[in-house]
Amino acid sequence: ARFLITDLAYKRQQEVISLYVGKSGAMELKQCQMIVEKALQAGHWVHLHAVHDCPDILLNLLVSINGAKVMNSNFRLWLSCEPVDTFPSAVLQSCLKICTDSPRAIPGQS
């Protein structure tokens, strides 16, 4: 997903900030939220990796984005994650979802 996003951003001449969320602590999550809020105003794209390990930040980001007084129309928030049952449904309901899978081997070729 990272290459898909960076390639699209390059074609659209957009800045992308990539952050690994994973199992981050409270300080890292606060920093992540500040970066997203600044990107929201500046119109940058943010790509958060491994958000499946830290679903709590997603609800906080959703509240921040929905409550933003100023939102640049170029802002995009990209999330990459593994499929998990604990992913917040409120986030799923407010997103456009793109599924990318690794290609499987073609039968007869190795």
Side-chain angles (χ1 to χ4, degrees):
R2 180 181 54 163
F3 298 114
L4 173 76
I5 296 165
T6 54
D7 186 46
L8 182 60
Y10 177 77
K11 290 177 183 175
R12 302 235 175 145
Q13 299 178 342
Q14 287 292 115
E15 180 178 340
V16 179
I17 303 161
S18 291
L19 301 169
Y20 177 81
V21 176
K23 294 182 179 177
S24 301
M27 181 64 82
E28 291 86 359
L29 297 179
K30 190 71 167 168
Q31 184 180 17
C32 176
Q33 190 164 1
M34 288 174 40
I35 290 170
V36 169
E37 288 173 5
K38 287 181 182 179
L40 182 79
Q41 295 173 1
H44 300 307
W45 291 7
V46 178
H47 178 205
L48 302 180
H49 301 265
V51 296
H52 58 276
D53 287 332
C54 195
D56 294 340
I57 192 174
L58 298 176
L59 294 174
N60 291 337
L61 289 175
L62 185 62
V63 169
S64 294
I65 291 168
N66 288 337
K69 294 180 179 148
V70 177
M71 182 186 300
N72 189 303
S73 63
N74 291 321
F75 170 74
R76 300 290 182 274
L77 178 61
W78 301 85
L79 308 171
S80 59
C81 68
E82 300 286 324
V84 290
D85 293 335
T86 58
F87 201 88
S89 61
V91 176
L92 286 173
Q93 293 169 354
S94 63
C95 298
L96 172 67
K97 290 151 284 295
I98 301 171
C99 180
T100 60
D101 286 327
S102 300
R104 297 176 189 253
I106 299 172
Q109 294 187 8
S110 36

